[in-house]
Amino acid sequence: MQIVSLTTLLLLLTSFAAGQSPAQLDLTPMPSSVQSGKGKLLIKRSFSVAVSGYRDGTLDRGVQRFIAEVSHETGMRLDEPNVAENNAVLLIHAEHGRESAEKVGEDESYELTASGSDAKLTAPNPLGVLHGLQTFLQLITAGADGFSVPAVTIRDKPRFVWRGLLIDPARHFIPLNVLERNIDGMAAVKMNVLHLHLSDNEGFRVESKRFPKLQEMGSDGLYYTQEDIRHLVAYAHDRGIRVMPEFDIPAHSRSWFVGYPELASTPGTYRIEPGGVDTVMDPTQDRTYKFLEKFVAEMAKLFPDAYFHIGGDEVNGKPWDNNPKIQAFMHSHALKNNQDLQAYFNQHLEKIVSKHHKIMVGWDEVLRPDLPKNIVVQSWRGQESLATAAQQGYSGILSFGYYLDLMWPAAQHYSVDPMSGTASMLNSEEKARILGGEACMWGEWISPENLDSRLWPRTAAIAERLWSPQETQDVSSMYSRLENLSWRLEWLGLTHRSHEVPMLHRMAGVDDTSALRTLADVVEPVKDYARFEAVKGDWDFRAPLNRLVDAANPESNTARSFQQLVQQYIQSRFKDQGAEAEIRALLTEWRDNDGKLRPVLENSFLLREVIPLSEELSTLGGSGLAALDYLQKAEPARQPWRAQQISQLEAASMPKADLLLTVVTPVRQLVEATAAH
Amino acid sequence: MQIVSLTTLLLLLTSFAAGQSPAQLDLTPMPSSVQSGKGKLLIKRSFSVAVSGYRDGTLDRGVQRFIAEVSHETGMRLDEPNVAENNAVLLIHAEHGRESAEKVGEDESYELTASGSDAKLTAPNPLGVLHGLQTFLQLITAGADGFSVPAVTIRDKPRFVWRGLLIDPARHFIPLNVLERNIDGMAAVKMNVLHLHLSDNEGFRVESKRFPKLQEMGSDGLYYTQEDIRHLVAYAHDRGIRVMPEFDIPAHSRSWFVGYPELASTPGTYRIEPGGVDTVMDPTQDRTYKFLEKFVAEMAKLFPDAYFHIGGDEVNGKPWDNNPKIQAFMHSHALKNNQDLQAYFNQHLEKIVSKHHKIMVGWDEVLRPDLPKNIVVQSWRGQESLATAAQQGYSGILSFGYYLDLMWPAAQHYSVDPMSGTASMLNSEEKARILGGEACMWGEWISPENLDSRLWPRTAAIAERLWSPQETQDVSSMYSRLENLSWRLEWLGLTHRSHEVPMLHRMAGVDDTSALRTLADVVEPVKDYARFEAVKGDWDFRAPLNRLVDAANPESNTARSFQQLVQQYIQSRFKDQGAEAEIRALLTEWRDNDGKLRPVLENSFLLREVIPLSEELSTLGGSGLAALDYLQKAEPARQPWRAQQISQLEAASMPKADLLLTVVTPVRQLVEATAAH
């Protein structure tokens, strides 16, 4: 995994202190064309909607949800929201219906115009209407005269046809209602694919009636019934979102073997637990394919989407190496290595999947020239492999750079473009094979309680990358719009902001959690795979997710604005008194925080591990304040003092309790600035 | 309505600065007997439960919810929560089943013991088990060694058999899921009756298949289907809660007349809207009773509870006076006045209700010696009328003093006892007729968004009054336990704390709502019926509930703790430096707040009305700081200065935008203290 360096990242994060974005509408994702008009349309209790042209259930239900959301956003019940065409404030018009199958590449465009007196939303089909209604909702703001939508003409369509989010209920089960609210979030930012990673070593999460031991023995009792799935698919479809199932084989498949050990390459009994070398299907035996044939038949019917994801990643060949029968098979079939054997498996699997009228999707590793060109490759390894696939004639979607579980800041995901690097050199036919991308939220450290906070608002930055024109790149604008969107998402029922309060209270066991909140606001979970690397012994996939690292947001807003303030102060050559005062207030709060927080930390077994962080935050506050004093007095600090501060700051930059103190770098900048100025 | 005076209230609120409560467990409602033991039971991932003795669906589902709640409270998945009797950490035993009908007065007692190694919960029937499990959940706290429950023996039973909450979805519809989470809240504090006020002038909220125009024409389309009701009744029953329906007749019944104008005393066409003189049923015609006979038959079947509430309050006799046919009827039946006519109606209605095997419940006004003794009177007028009813042989429940819509502080409700006043003089047979009480949340100013915040945590103070021994009176202890309970209720999904944030954001229209929050934290909605009295013209029952008064909590915690600090500071004769510093910090924040908040207020049509409050908070902060300076310097302030401050404070104590600034009195105390000391 290529990691963007810290320096690059800081540049990304601080560049917006310099950059100035033009006045623009608070929309995420940014539409492809916006023309501002004069005046605004007031949204009053008399606001009403009419639908002309084509209509169907999706459209009608979408309009009713829109009306409910207008009420929710404004706190107003509308007097008579549904009216005849001539009387409507907002007239909605779709030309024709959606394609009957859930197909990739349907027209999702729309045109929305608002004037001082009314508004009109037109689209070729209900999908565009759904997107346009989301845009309209985002345009509503409270102002001095009331709620209103600015006069505007928006012509909008997506840049990529595949804008997905992978959720992994295999590692930690995610209840249906949590999926539903996240589908609402996806719809709000115009994403259109929910990719469910339904099976892995730690759990098999969907009911098979044909092979009930899959979910019964392969889970802790938590799985989606077929009724749940039908409900979910309909729920998503109503919001313009396809649901693509993934059953990850031949590796990542231990949960299958608990009930059906005969599928494994290594004989024995299995229980659900994380990976290990022995969890690969046996691709050399007929019964594996007979099983898969029946299984795919059942699931292909349950999931109407045209795509069927078979995983295919991270196959550890050991069990194949160690099984003489498999070795003999490879020899007799001229399969030179394990990659050949996996390709053999995938060819058979692809025939099964095609037979049930589905297009097979797999991770990078499935890509082999011997597979038919209609399969789709999902790249977690990098943009290069996606470009290579496109050159070879395969369609692909990018997930490299979009792994939300790595706890990157939104700006870092935002900078990843499916068409950059090698892809930018592709010809237009090849480029057309790059369908889009998918944000991935792997579930190892996820619970229903913190899922939303790991998804939102960062997923919206990826949604914008995949929807908006390539030149939409202003990070400062992105962050400012994300903040507003974040509030709107809580109106939809997402809990990415509100989750933290009860989690902190659980840890603290006391009523006043304000000092803990101060610490929580400036820490972030460690990045990339550092949390796994810090695990001593085996990863305990049933471990409680009730630590500060589980509650802390992936990206600290406080740290980002502090970084900006320090930047601004330094650039002003220490003259900006406003910035100085704000910096001083924050540093003082941090310096004094440990005194308040310490008794709470000492009295909680869940919080004791963060005592060093709390101490360091106080020390760092003190260092920053001393540096500020030097800077204010225009008196250079002595080198030994600086050296001591910097050594403390370096210690403070080390992860503790799987958390990082995020304000070390700007404080260091202040300390370093005391050298001379 | 008798209003507790401000002075009494301040005494109530400040008494706990003096009173000292013994160390006690953090339980609400407080059990009837608690014996603390030594040590504690650690709640680890190995925590498990077994059930012996009688078991049924209620009990099994209750235990499964309990296990889920243990997981939720602790953030831990339990390794194997259900085990055999010999291996269980918590052994649960019920002796026999519940009564098959939903009956008042079932045994709800339980006994819970916990030692360092295990725990046991026994009860005569599953109801007691449900209550005991709630107690166990409240006992779990995070400490230095882990989550634990203290060693303890609790023997507990309710003081009153009827511990209810009235919710009024007639004025503003409350969706099913909001009712559900509030049922969870009720169960957490051991309440056992959900009283649904299902019809009123503004809406008829339940589906009648026999008379579908009731809900179709008598509502804005928002009502509970019969399927919803069955689901809700089962949901509540599983949590030991009865659901009692109320259909308010003969007055409060305009919504009936929209579809069935022939029931009205005044001919004409009707639409749903608030009261007025013409909304009384015609009790003189046979068709009214024929209609009610069929209607009650249908509803009696839908609601299994043994009680059926017919309302009967606030009958305005004008339509009867004005209708010659009704006047002639009264004359021919020797009915001397409208009270006689209502009694005539109630006698007929009671026969219908009894015929369907229900016990009729009505508000005070139904009480007439000519009604059979088995009816139940719900008193909104006062404790006297309840005592009178008991003397006359009627059972009764108290709601006077428990009207949550009056926005009283919890302490004020807590001080109201069904057995105080006249009731304390009743003999034991008469006392037994006082079944308990009901908190009432009338829905005129309620939305699904703010309902929870108007109910919780104040309802728990009433729940404790009705469950715990009469001598449980320590207000300080009640508030401290309420605060902890309040967090636990958010784990159950209630939104009484989290609702405010998105509501403030909607008003502010900007991302940083901290200054608005500072103001919101020290205001409370006006008390009693002052909000109605401030309405100019007719009350607009469809008016948006999106103002600061709709978001602000009924009781300001900040104000209460500020009041305590000031009390403490004054009692220390201005020597308590810690209190002084905290007071100064708050006053400074308030003084400086208007500067930050002003641009936000001026830019929002929803917030412009609170500009005077924001100004006054700043002025008041300044006055308080000046007073503190005098007090610190031990220098008396001049009388003209004091007079000026007090005149400003008096202006600040006047309601604005239907809100009260709650910190005026303590600041005034500081100012007054500057006279001499």
Side-chain angles (χ1 to χ4, degrees), chain A residues 45 72-74 77 143-144 146-147 220 483 487 491 501-502 505-506 511 540-542 546 603 605 608, chain B residues 45 72-74 77 143-144 146-147 220 483 487 491 501-502 505-506 511 540-542 546 603 605 608:
Chain A
R45 284 164 64 181
H72 200 176
E73 275 198 25
T74 61
R77 285 202 287 186
F147 291 105
D220 50 3
E483 181 67 14
W487 287 109
W491 281 323
V501 181
H505 184 68
R506 171 196 294 147
D511 297 324
D540 176 3
F541 79 114
R542 290 196 173 96
N546 56 8
N603 201 36
F605 77 111
R608 212 178 293 120
Chain B
R45 284 163 64 182
H72 201 177
E73 275 199 25
T74 61
R77 285 203 285 188
F147 291 104
D220 50 3
E483 182 66 13
W487 288 108
W491 282 325
V501 181
H505 184 66
R506 172 197 293 146
D511 296 325
D540 176 3
F541 79 114
R542 290 196 173 96
N546 56 8
N603 203 35
F605 75 112
R608 211 176 296 121

Side-chain angles (χ1 to χ4, degrees), chain B residues 264-278:
Chain B
S265 297
T266 311
T269 58
Y270 289 82
R271 54 189 188 127
I272 42 173
E273 62 186 324
V277 292
D278 51 354

Side-chain angles (χ1 to χ4, degrees), chain A residues 193-478:
Chain A
V193 184
L194 173 64
H195 171 167
L196 289 177
H197 183 77
L198 288 167
S199 69
D200 213 303
N201 298 318
E202 298 84 357
F204 192 99
R205 302 299 191 181
V206 75
E207 176 192 24
S208 167
K209 293 185 193 288
R210 187 69 191 76
F211 301 108
K213 284 189 281 183
L214 283 172
Q215 74 275 9
E216 284 166 10
M217 298 178 68
S219 83
D220 50 3
L222 299 173
Y223 56 84
Y224 309 114
T225 64
Q226 297 206 348
E227 192 49 43
D228 289 342
I229 295 291
R230 276 187 287 269
H231 167 82
L232 193 76
V233 166
Y235 189 96
H237 183 79
D238 254 1
R239 286 150 183 86
I241 293 170
R242 301 162 33 218
V243 176
M244 175 174 70
E246 175 185 354
F247 299 97
D248 199 352
I249 47 177
H252 284 278
S253 52
R254 183 186 289 263
S255 63
W256 300 59
F257 305 156
V258 184
Y260 302 94
E262 64 273 21
L263 298 174
S265 297
T266 310
T269 57
Y270 289 82
R271 55 191 187 124
I272 42 173
E273 61 187 325
V277 293
D278 52 355
T279 57
V280 186
M281 279 188 183
D282 183 346
T284 67
Q285 52 181 7
D286 272 357
R287 62 179 172 190
T288 298
Y289 300 104
K290 281 189 182 141
F291 186 103
L292 289 174
E293 160 68 39
K294 288 176 194 148
F295 176 77
V296 171
E298 184 183 16
M299 292 300 139
K301 240 174 135 173
L302 183 60
F303 291 91
D305 197 58
Y307 293 78
F308 195 94
H309 202 303
I310 57 84
D313 57 321
E314 299 187 310
V315 176
N316 183 317
K318 287 261 170 63
W320 293 344
D321 300 340
N322 295 339
N323 184 328
K325 194 188 61 120
I326 293 176
Q327 289 303 310
F329 179 93
M330 286 170 71
H331 192 255
S332 69
H333 287 71
L335 300 166
K336 284 195 281 299
N337 52 34
N338 289 330
Q339 286 71 40
D340 283 359
L341 183 54
Q342 189 182 356
Y344 172 89
F345 176 75
N346 284 337
Q347 284 166 31
H348 281 65
L349 186 55
E350 197 283 326
K351 288 202 186 88
I352 294 172
V353 171
S354 306
K355 185 177 154 198
H356 295 287
H357 316 292
K358 303 287 178 183
I359 300 164
M360 186 167 101
V361 187
W363 298 101
D364 299 82
E365 290 94 322
V366 304
L367 189 65
R368 287 269 299 213
D370 32 19
L371 275 177
K373 300 293 182 209
N374 73 335
I375 71 157
V376 174
V377 177
Q378 181 166 16
S379 173
W380 66 278
R381 287 181 169 174
Q383 280 138 308
E384 296 73 23
S385 82
L386 193 66
T388 310
Q391 279 165 335
Q392 293 174 10
Y394 294 97
S395 297
I397 47 183
L398 184 66
S399 281
F400 165 82
Y402 300 147
Y403 270 30
L404 294 161
D405 51 308
L406 303 186
M407 302 285 169
W408 294 1
Q412 195 171 347
H413 295 301
Y414 196 61
S415 72
V416 176
D417 194 298
M419 287 299 183
S420 66
T422 320
S424 65
M425 267 98 75
L426 298 176
N427 66 34
S428 63
E429 198 184 343
E430 290 161 349
K431 277 186 176 162
R433 292 187 190 122
I434 297 185
L435 303 177
E438 276 190 9
C440 294
M441 184 71 254
W442 296 104
E444 284 91 344
W445 305 107
I446 291 300
S447 72
E449 193 171 49
N450 72 4
L451 172 66
D452 296 9
S453 72
R454 272 90 191 101
L455 287 175
W456 306 103
R458 294 182 306 147
T459 297
I462 300 172
E464 173 155 299
R465 177 58 52 240
L466 298 172
W467 175 282
S468 302
Q470 187 161 14
E471 52 277 18
T472 309
Q473 296 284 356
D474 183 334
V475 174
S476 167
S477 157
M478 181 274 287

Side-chain angles (χ1 to χ4, degrees), chain B residues 428-598:
Chain B
S428 63
E429 199 185 341
E430 288 161 352
K431 276 186 176 164
R433 292 186 190 124
I434 296 185
L435 303 175
E438 276 190 7
C440 294
M441 185 72 252
W442 296 103
E444 284 91 344
W445 305 107
I446 293 301
S447 73
E449 194 171 48
N450 72 3
L451 172 67
D452 297 9
S453 72
R454 271 88 190 102
L455 286 176
W456 305 102
R458 295 183 304 148
T459 297
I462 301 171
E464 173 155 298
R465 178 58 51 242
L466 298 173
W467 176 282
S468 303
Q470 188 162 12
E471 53 276 18
T472 309
Q473 295 284 356
D474 183 335
V475 174
S476 167
S477 158
M478 181 274 287
Y479 271 116
S480 120
R481 289 177 289 118
L482 225 52
E483 182 66 13
N484 193 350
L485 176 76
S486 180
W487 288 108
R488 293 181 185 271
L489 293 173
E490 287 249 333
W491 282 325
L492 291 178
L494 288 161
T495 63
H496 55 297
R497 284 177 171 265
S498 49
H499 81 289
E500 200 183 40
V501 181
M503 287 188 82
L504 294 186
H505 184 66
R506 172 197 293 146
M507 288 174 236
V510 294
D511 296 325
D512 182 1
T513 54
S514 54
L516 181 56
R517 183 99 199 205
T518 298
L519 178 63
D521 276 352
V522 294
V523 293
E524 290 176 4
V526 288
K527 308 299 161 184
D528 304 314
Y529 296 101
R531 190 165 176 188
F532 283 103
E533 287 153 15
V535 169
K536 289 173 191 69
D538 287 340
W539 170 54
D540 176 3
F541 79 114
R542 290 196 173 96
L545 298 175
N546 56 8
R547 297 162 58 208
L548 189 55
V549 61
D550 299 305
N553 279 316
E555 186 169 10
S556 161
N557 285 342
T558 305
R560 199 171 59 248
S561 63
F562 182 70
Q563 172 75 56
Q564 280 176 264
L565 278 170
V566 168
Q567 206 73 9
Q568 187 182 329
Y569 178 60
I570 291 176
Q571 280 172 1
S572 78
R573 303 188 155 269
F574 321 112
K575 302 278 185 284
D576 187 331
Q577 294 295 310
E580 200 264 349
E582 286 189 65
I583 293 168
R584 190 174 287 278
L586 281 166
L587 290 168
T588 308
E589 188 186 355
W590 296 337
R591 184 197 58 197
D592 299 344
N593 199 59
D594 189 49
K596 298 176 202 156
L597 184 53
R598 206 48 180 277

